[in-house]
Amino acid sequence: MAVRADRRASLELLAPLAGWVLPLAEVPDPVFAGAMAGDGVAIDPIGESLHAPCDGVVVLLGENRHALTVRANGVDVLMHVGIDTMKLGGAGFRMHVRDGEEVRAGQSLLEFDLDAIVNRAPSAITPVLVTGPRCGLIIPRHGDRRVAVGDFLYAIEAAGSANDAVPVAVLPAPGIMVREFRVPFEHGLHARPAAQVAALLANLDAEVSLRARGREANARSVVAMMALGLRYGDVASAHALGHDAAAALSALEGLFEPVGTAAPIRKPAPRTAPPAPGTRVPGLVAARGWAIGVAAPLVSTEPTIGPALGDQAAERTRLVAAIDGVKGFLNRAADASDEIRRTILQAHLAILSDPQLLGDAQAALAGGASAGLAWHTSLRNAAEALQALDDPRMAERRADLLDIERQVLQVLSGAPAGAQVPLPECAIVLADELLPSQLLALEAARLVGLCTARGGATSHVSILAASMGLPALVAAGGAVLAITAGTPLVLDADAGVLIVEPKPAERARLEVLVAARGAQRVRDEGAAQEPAMMLDGAVIDVYCNLASVAEAASALRAGAEGCGLLRTEFLFLARSRAPDETEQLHQYQVIGDALAGRPLTVRTLDAGGDKPMSYLPMPHEANPALGLRGLRTSLAHPELLATQLRAICRVTPHGQCRVLLPMVTDLDDVRAVREQLATASQSLGVPVPPLGVMIETPAAALLADQLAAECDFLSIGSNDLSQYTLAMDRLHPTLAERLDALHPAVLRLIDRATRAGLARRIETSVCGNLASDPEAVPLLIGLGVRELSMAPAQIPRLKALLRTLDTGACAELARRALESVNAVQVRALVRDWSKRNA
Ligand code: PEP
Ligand code: MG
């Protein structure tokens, strides 16, 4: 037994790791080396498992699993595995214990991947510290020696009782001083900044605590502060009492950011030097098109979070009035908008009435927050929860929450809702990230294009830009923020590039091109309702991908001949219970009706470890893309699948819907669903809908002949197929350029799948992004694909392209592409071929 609670309350600690014991001074981090986070020794590990150094209770320090504390006999023993390992975000760490769990000395607490730490962090040296204001002497201080797990490490004299060492809540009392701060540290209030807080207060005579999210921590205890789990941008209040209270708060002011502005939830993109004339800044295409104009940098001032002007009731009234003000503005704007814009504004109106957001704000008001702080806290918590989903589509909904936060804060600070921002003529607006309301507030008559440093191609602002016919690029990086106002620009949002100060001759050439493309777009849209008949008479079915009810009608206007992929996740995520059969039926039926009898392909839920649903307990997965995802989730919850299948079967007219299964790997998957589908249709007395399989795992592509024998159609999910074939995460920020679905390895798998479909005379469509890539389309046709499904906005252009192609020529091109050595070569081949055939 490691705890020896004798009369001097001494505590003996056993080595939690195998390795070499070092003095703290040798830790390559000044905070640990200077004992600012606590006193003790460090171990340079040779093992990969961390054990309890004594009996005690586990206190977990945030979500990143790289550090934990065992609280014993009045002392907190902090073990911080490696240096700067916070930034690994928990990758490579496997926690075996839960917060608050009682552990015995020697019990395994955590396993870690030593190689990963050595490769990705500055050091694996692990400080083993005793922390808190009252832990006594350490004996012996160190010894340059090797220890095995469980060997004696050091003893401490623990002053006082266990209760003393637990951070004591400072209750509001007369004379207490309070100041609100924002956490400015990129990785939150982790060990290093927490140690700096404690060090700042070391010589001051004041009881200081930090409070956030209804929890409180003694600001002299590194462990207690880390356990608050504060992240970058969070707001906390510091409460100080005693002789040096004012000095303590001033000292903290130097470390934290004052609250007063609503900081962006992420740090702004770093600025770079202004791009030289002629520079081509690449970005992601959010809305296609061309624009010639001048730079109009959007200086976005963050709204102020004002102080409380009255008591709780008065603050509540102010908040309600501000919310009502924004609602009034949005309602008026929605009435005067087209359908797409109205849908987005209505989504914003729903956020303003969301009971959970209002309830959280109410709780913050009850805790003494001002109207602004209460609204800010509630919205930021919700935005952070969405961000944590790791699903880009959901994370982008975060922007809507931030937008609503901003609008209400603006009204609270006295500005009118929806004030217009003036622009120069032919403005190409440059911004870090743009929110829908900011876009709508821009003077539309002078706005010709947009380019943002960050943002996603599927965000509402991108959809809005497309609906307004505004060419837009996103994720162009910090360079766009360095361009000065008035700089001549050309925005080529077809090629995904912003050209800074083009030479006069180049500009003239581009002006001609812009005019020609504008005319082409008008022609494409005019012919969008016509079939996509190729030169040799082959007709390609051009379908749309949908992820909401709202998109269906506009998809038809864009020329969609059906829906090749309804991503039903939109119905399931970000809610507290699964949608029931009636609710699902209603949504599918509305979409089916909007499609007016055209085929509707409903994909069963494609959720999983990276898209958690509170009503479906799912284990944490180290690698969600390879985990319980897609159909695997549905099969693990048969009731969920049965409900969805019944809802699809009930859509009328029967025969309009087909069922598509995501993330299939082999026939077992298909057979399991086939059985359930038969049961559902039999019990409803309706015909069995066609059942299709997504070819988005290499396994499914390789076994496509077997799958094709037992299903009614195949649909190639090129987004996942390329991620799994090339072993590159589709969300990876730096691999994005190399993750090209035109890689010959992916093309060979597509070839295999289309051959399997042809041999069984069933349709093989493509519904991943490849279907709307103009360089990919001739190859897909050449490989035998006769159905393409894509985002509605792409349809007119793609139909026009298809009308210029010939199946025989495409087949010859595809044959050569299959022999290429990489995606770059494939693209060069297609470009060259297109030029020669133009
Ligand atoms: C795909 O993987 O290509 C696909 C269409 O599915 P999602 O993008 O929804 O994963
Ligand atoms: Mg997929």
Side-chain angles (χ1 to χ4, degrees):
M1 161 110 166
V3 176
R4 236 184 24 217
D6 60 21
R7 251 181 278 152
R8 284 173 50 243
S10 77
L11 178 67
E12 213 172 84
L13 297 186
L14 306 184
L17 284 167
W20 286 93
V21 180
L22 303 170
L24 270 193
E26 286 185 24
V27 178
D29 181 296
V31 170
F32 288 117
M36 286 162 78
D39 207 353
V41 299
I43 299 178
D44 196 356
I46 50 179
E48 298 196 318
S49 153
L50 185 81
H51 298 255
C54 56
D55 293 355
V57 173
V58 169
V59 181
L60 289 189
L61 306 176
E63 298 148 12
N64 286 333
R65 306 191 289 277
H66 64 290
L68 58 71
T69 284
V70 172
R71 183 167 288 167
N73 205 23
V75 170
D76 284 339
V77 185
L78 165 65
M79 292 160 284
H80 193 284
V81 180
I83 301 302
D84 244 1
T85 39
M86 173 66 138
K87 66 180 185 199
L88 302 186
F93 292 90
R94 195 135 53 89
M95 191 65 82
H96 297 315
V97 286
R98 287 188 312 274
D99 201 12
E101 186 172 330
E102 281 194 26
V103 290
R104 310 284 295 174
Q107 181 175 333
S108 169
L109 304 175
L110 168 71
E111 273 175 301
F112 52 89
D113 179 346
L114 189 55
D115 280 348
I117 295 177
V118 169
N119 289 330
R120 295 174 55 201
S123 167
I125 291 180
T126 299
V128 181
L129 310 171
V130 284
T131 71
R134 301 190 195 96
C135 48
L137 219 59
I138 295 186
I139 329 155
R141 180 137 288 283
H142 70 271
D144 195 4
R145 60 200 163 98
R146 186 172 168 162
V147 285
V149 172
D151 285 353
F152 171 77
L153 189 64
Y154 61 81
I156 47 172
E157 190 185 280
S161 68
N163 287 344
D164 288 341
V166 177
V168 181
V170 182
L171 295 172
I176 211 162
M177 298 180 71
V178 182
R179 203 154 305 167
E180 270 166 356
F181 295 108
R182 183 185 310 289
V183 176
F185 317 112
E186 191 180 348
H187 297 299
L189 189 63
H190 60 100
R192 210 140 8 88
Q196 282 173 287
V197 171
L200 279 176
L201 303 176
N203 298 320
L204 296 176
D205 175 15
E207 289 287 329
V208 185
S209 67
L210 294 186
R211 277 195 208 177
R213 300 179 183 143
R215 292 161 68 195
E216 183 152 17
N218 186 331
R220 293 178 193 275
S221 164
V222 174
V223 171
M225 284 187 281
M226 287 168 76
L228 284 177
L230 288 174
R231 298 186 183 177
Y232 169 79
D234 280 353
V235 173
S237 54
H239 299 238
L241 180 67
H243 184 263
D244 292 338
L249 294 184
S250 310
L252 293 182
E253 242 166 24
L255 199 58
F256 290 91
E257 260 174 22
V259 170
T261 58
I265 201 159
R266 287 189 293 162
K267 284 187 165 179
R271 277 166 191 268
T272 59
T279 304
R280 299 167 73 86
V281 181
L284 270 182
V285 176
R288 289 187 177 274
W290 280 69
I292 296 180
V294 295
L298 195 71
V299 189
S300 151
T301 46
E302 294 301 336
T304 308
I305 301 172
L309 301 180
D311 60 11
Q312 189 188 325
E315 288 301 294
R316 185 173 191 284
T317 310
R318 284 181 63 222
L319 181 56
V320 170
I323 291 174
D324 283 349
V326 177
K327 275 187 186 168
F329 164 71
L330 291 180
N331 271 318
R332 287 191 299 279
D335 287 347
S337 294
D338 64 17
E339 194 185 326
I340 294 179
R341 205 193 277 216
R342 190 162 48 244
T343 314
I344 293 172
L345 295 173
Q346 277 162 351
H348 283 192
L349 280 163
I351 295 174
L352 281 166
S353 304
D354 186 293
Q356 183 164 341
L357 292 174
L358 297 173
D360 288 354
Q362 182 66 35
L365 285 170
S370 65
L373 183 58
W375 188 242
H376 165 79
T377 308
S378 166
L379 276 277
R380 288 287 164 118
N381 285 345
E384 212 174 89
L386 281 185
Q387 173 93 346
L389 291 179
D390 251 19
D391 170 358
R393 285 187 292 269
M394 282 299 128
E396 281 166 359
R397 299 290 88 84
R398 173 191 70 96
D400 296 320
L401 291 170
L402 296 183
D403 197 346
I404 291 299
E405 177 206 353
R406 179 188 179 85
Q407 294 185 57
V408 171
L409 289 182
Q410 239 156 10
V411 174
L412 277 170
S413 64
Q420 282 269 302
V421 177
L423 291 176
E425 277 303 334
C426 294
I428 296 180
V429 164
L430 308 175
D432 185 14
E433 215 173 358
L434 207 61
L435 299 173
S437 70
Q438 289 175 308
L439 172 54
L440 294 178
L442 298 173
E443 219 183 340
R446 296 176 163 208
L447 179 63
V448 296
L450 289 179
C451 181
T452 62
R454 292 187 305 190
T458 54
S459 65
H460 269 162
V461 84
S462 304
I463 296 170
L464 263 181
S467 84
M468 294 161 74
L470 271 183
L473 291 185
V474 294
V480 298
L481 304 178
I483 299 173
T484 47
T487 306
L489 297 175
V490 172
L491 181 70
D492 178 354
D494 278 343
V497 65
L498 177 73
I499 308 166
V500 182
E501 280 190 71
K503 295 206 175 81
E506 165 86 338
R507 188 183 160 107
R509 189 183 68 80
L510 294 170
E511 273 168 3
V512 173
L513 263 179
V514 169
R517 288 196 189 199
Q520 179 66 43
R521 195 175 62 212
V522 172
R523 281 199 299 276
D524 293 350
E525 284 169 0
Q529 302 303 324
E530 305 300 320
M533 184 185 288
M534 296 178 53
L535 294 176
D536 57 323
V539 175
I540 308 300
D541 294 326
V542 182
Y543 286 3
C544 60
N545 293 348
L546 300 176
S548 71
V549 175
E551 292 163 310
S554 53
L556 282 202
R557 282 199 299 277
E561 289 149 4
C563 168
L565 169 65
L566 173 64
R567 292 182 164 108
T568 58
E569 294 83 85
F570 77 95
L571 265 171
F572 288 80
L573 289 164
R575 49 185 298 156
S576 56
R577 58 170 185 81
D580 63 19
E581 190 178 315
T582 320
E583 205 175 335
Q584 288 190 52
L585 168 62
H586 173 71
Q587 302 272 352
Y588 304 149
Q589 189 66 59
V590 172
I591 295 173
D593 291 347
L595 292 175
R598 295 171 181 83
L600 168 57
T601 313
V602 186
R603 184 173 72 182
T604 59
L605 180 61
D606 184 14
D610 63 335
K611 298 170 193 164
M613 292 176 283
S614 56
Y615 48 90
L616 274 192
M618 290 196 233
H620 173 82
E621 294 188 306
N623 202 339
L626 303 180
L628 211 55
R629 199 206 132 171
L631 185 61
R632 298 170 194 169
T633 309
S634 299
L635 291 175
H637 297 275
E639 70 300 336
L640 198 74
L641 180 60
T643 306
Q644 189 167 29
L645 294 177
R646 283 178 61 87
I648 300 170
C649 284
R650 287 175 63 190
V651 174
T652 52
H654 302 302
Q656 183 183 8
C657 278
R658 15 183 228 182
V659 178
L660 179 59
L661 306 179
M663 296 297 296
V664 166
T665 43
D666 55 41
L667 266 180
D668 288 349
D669 289 338
V670 183
R671 287 174 181 162
V673 179
R674 176 71 78 198
E675 223 169 86
Q676 282 209 34
L677 194 58
T679 311
S681 52
Q682 230 165 37
S683 68
L684 292 163
V686 300
V688 186
L691 179 63
V693 161
M694 285 203 69
I695 303 293
E696 51 182 352
T697 64
L702 292 168
L703 298 180
D705 53 338
Q706 297 176 1
L707 295 168
E710 294 197 20
C711 70
D712 305 304
F713 64 101
L714 302 176
S715 183
I716 295 168
S718 54
N719 308 339
D720 276 315
L721 186 60
S722 46
Q723 123 161 305
Y724 294 124
T725 305
L726 302 176
M728 291 181 193
D729 185 340
R730 64 192 266 191
L731 303 179
H732 199 288
T734 49
L735 290 177
E737 253 178 57
R738 291 178 54 204
L739 179 58
D740 190 338
L742 282 194
H743 193 287
V746 183
L747 290 180
R748 286 184 185 201
L749 290 175
I750 294 176
D751 179 43
R752 199 173 168 108
T754 48
R755 280 174 194 277
L758 284 172
R760 288 281 166 182
R761 295 180 191 282
I762 61 171
E763 195 64 69
T764 304
S765 68
V766 177
C767 64
N769 290 349
L770 212 52
S772 57
D773 178 341
E775 286 176 2
V777 166
L779 295 172
L780 296 175
I781 300 300
L783 293 173
V785 173
R786 294 294 178 268
E787 182 187 309
L788 298 169
S789 191
M790 63 197 72
Q794 311 288 353
I795 292 175
R797 208 167 83 104
L798 260 297
K799 277 192 168 180
L801 169 67
L802 286 163
R803 293 185 193 113
T804 66
L805 301 176
D806 171 88
T807 47
C810 289
E812 170 56 20
L813 175 71
R815 197 190 51 71
R816 288 167 59 203
L818 289 173
E819 298 310 318
S820 299
V821 298
N822 56 30
V824 174
Q825 201 178 73
V826 172
R827 288 204 178 267
L829 178 73
V830 180
R831 268 184 224 131
D832 183 49
W833 178 87
S834 302
K835 258 190 225 142
R836 280 190 284 110
N837 286 281

